[in-house]
Amino acid sequence: MKVIRLTTLLDFGGQEQQYIAFAESDKQLLQNEYVFAAIGHGGNAEKLIREKGFEVVIFNKNPKISNLKNIWILYKWFKKTKPDIVHTAAAEANFHGIIAAKLAGVKRIIGEEIGYPNHSNKAKIIFKCIYKFTYKVICVSNAVKDFLVTTQEINAKKGIVIYNPVTKAKATQKQLANEFTIVSVGRFEKVKNQSLLINAFSKIENARTKLVLVGEGSERKNLESLIQRLNLQERVTLTGFVNNPEDYLLKSHLFVLPSLSEGFGIAVVEAMQLGIASLCSNVGGIPEFITHNENGWLFNPNDERELVGLLNTIIKSPFSEIEKVAQQGKASVENRFSVQQYVENLENLYLKNHD
């Protein structure tokens, strides 16, 4: 069967990492022909997926939901390529792709909510109607599925939870920095809440601690201004986009994810697989694999005082205690989110009752 996997962008981010992990899987596991596509621009993920021998189509159109021309463009493409399955992921791709696939007569349409949705009342009604055209809606965590069921965008039978795949890093040898180092990996966007982490970091007791923010995004200038206002230029580093975040993680004593919303949290699992102790927001799918004070720590992303308190407690702890939590974290995610398991789950869904 021909499967088209359509998303909004193919540059960098959690969804792109999911596609890259799939493309890097053992091709002998794949039972279908795959084409990857993005309504908007390509970039890093596009390059890596092409290198693995997959066809990639980049439309380079404005992906906003209001740009209804995308439906016509996708409709014509689907009619020409005649896919057996169209699997869309991310809000814009779900909106345009599902409608276009339905109009084009695609036999099986699958949507995917890649994050914890923050839909307006209007959006809830729109997606409730659109998801009626789908066979299933994949949710990247139970929290995402529960939300969609609660808002009545889908019923429980329509939703299916398939956790994201997380590729294991090749390098696993820690090379800890001399000073206690905190690393956070994520796009520089408001929802990722790096400003809270920077503000909390400015208030911790240990003035020798370092903070490294790995990523890039629209909030970079605001974060740089905040760092200057707090006189943290010598202690906080913004790396920009990198292909190898594990190089920074393996030098860190603690990973922190302060997101306001997180459907799954690939960056957290990547850190835990490397044996890095993790302190994360108590949101979305993260509490499904982190238990506070056992294999990591959780905090309210709207409570700066709580974050400051936890940072002070962890930094002052003997490193043997931090390492114990880190190793418990590593053991808890070791094989739970393997690429092989993800591929099997996805292909079973594609093939189920299809013939």
Side-chain angles (χ1 to χ4, degrees):
M1 295 189 301
K2 177 183 285 187
V3 180
I4 288 178
R5 299 201 61 184
L6 174 71
T7 190
T8 304
L9 306 173
L10 275 175
D11 196 358
F12 63 92
Q15 177 60 24
E16 285 87 341
Q17 284 299 116
Q18 182 203 93
Y19 279 18
I20 292 167
F22 186 94
E24 291 179 341
S25 66
D26 184 351
K27 283 191 169 60
Q28 292 183 348
L29 297 173
L30 304 182
Q31 303 178 55
N32 302 297
E33 174 190 353
Y34 288 91
V35 178
F36 293 85
I39 297 173
H41 65 261
N44 179 66
E46 172 198 2
K47 175 178 176 289
L48 293 175
I49 294 169
R50 285 190 196 278
E51 288 176 353
K52 293 300 177 180
F54 290 91
E55 181 182 351
V56 181
V57 177
I58 304 297
F59 288 96
N60 275 317
K61 302 298 180 182
N62 179 351
K64 286 187 177 179
I65 287 176
S66 57
N67 187 19
L68 300 180
K69 292 180 181 178
N70 292 330
I71 296 174
W72 174 245
I73 292 168
L74 292 170
Y75 164 79
K76 290 193 295 182
W77 185 51
F78 293 153
K79 291 292 284 186
K80 179 181 178 181
T81 56
K82 296 180 172 56
D84 299 286
I85 297 172
V86 169
H87 174 181
T88 64
E92 298 86 355
N94 284 338
F95 179 85
H96 295 119
I98 291 171
I99 294 174
K102 180 66 177 178
L103 293 173
V106 177
K107 293 179 181 179
R108 176 157 293 187
I109 306 168
I110 296 171
E112 182 173 349
E113 281 286 356
I114 66 172
Y116 200 73
N118 184 24
H119 292 164
S120 65
N121 289 333
K122 182 179 179 180
K124 290 173 186 176
I125 295 170
I126 291 172
F127 280 97
K128 179 179 180 179
C129 295
I130 288 173
Y131 285 147
K132 288 181 179 179
F133 300 144
T134 64
Y135 165 63
K136 292 289 183 181
V137 175
I138 296 173
C139 305
V140 295
S141 65
N142 286 299
V144 171
K145 179 181 176 180
D146 291 344
F147 177 87
L148 294 176
V149 171
T150 300
T151 60
Q152 299 183 338
E153 292 173 58
I154 63 171
N155 57 44
K157 188 177 180 180
K158 173 86 70 172
I160 179 170
V161 176
I162 298 181
Y163 288 114
N164 280 329
V166 183
T167 304
K168 291 184 178 180
K170 295 176 182 177
T172 57
Q173 189 64 42
K174 291 183 182 180
Q175 297 177 328
L176 296 179
N178 292 329
E179 302 293 350
F180 194 100
T181 301
I182 300 167
V183 169
S184 183
V185 179
R187 292 175 291 112
F188 295 164
E189 306 293 342
K190 287 185 178 180
V191 70
K192 295 301 183 179
N193 207 24
Q194 286 98 346
S195 59
L196 173 89
L197 177 55
I198 293 170
N199 278 308
F201 181 78
S202 72
K203 297 178 174 66
I204 61 175
E205 296 166 4
N206 187 336
R208 295 188 301 276
T209 303
K210 306 291 185 181
L211 172 63
V212 180
L213 301 178
V214 180
E216 189 57 88
S218 62
E219 282 292 295
R220 185 183 183 104
K221 289 186 178 180
N222 290 333
L223 297 178
E224 288 174 339
S225 296
L226 177 60
I227 291 166
Q228 290 177 352
R229 287 200 306 272
L230 296 172
N231 196 28
L232 293 172
Q233 297 94 319
E234 300 300 318
R235 297 175 56 202
V236 180
T237 301
L238 306 183
T239 68
F241 172 73
V242 297
N243 280 316
N244 53 337
E246 64 272 13
D247 289 353
Y248 294 92
L249 288 166
L250 290 168
K251 296 175 183 177
S252 70
H253 299 75
L254 179 68
F255 171 81
V256 180
L257 189 78
S259 300
L260 293 168
S261 175
E262 199 73 49
F264 175 65
I266 286 179
V268 186
V269 178
E270 289 175 337
M272 293 172 73
Q273 284 185 344
L274 289 170
I276 312 302
S278 298
L279 168 63
C280 304
S281 302
N282 186 10
V283 297
I286 294 174
E288 294 175 30
F289 55 85
I290 287 186
T291 301
H292 185 63
N293 276 334
E294 290 186 14
N295 64 340
W297 299 274
L298 298 169
F299 68 95
N300 179 349
N302 294 299
D303 191 337
E304 182 183 308
R305 181 178 297 180
E306 181 184 15
L307 177 55
V308 172
L310 282 167
L311 286 172
N312 280 329
T313 298
I314 294 167
I315 292 169
K316 288 189 293 187
S317 300
F319 188 67
S320 59
E321 293 183 12
I322 299 173
E323 186 65 11
K324 180 181 178 181
V325 172
Q327 291 307 311
Q328 289 174 172
K330 182 177 182 179
S332 68
V333 300
E334 194 85 62
N335 299 307
R336 187 175 176 186
F337 307 109
S338 71
V339 175
Q340 180 176 345
Q341 184 63 59
Y342 173 76
V343 171
E344 290 177 2
N345 290 339
L346 204 56
E347 293 222 313
N348 287 339
L349 175 62
Y350 291 157
L351 296 168
K352 190 174 183 180
N353 299 324
H354 196 275
D355 297 330

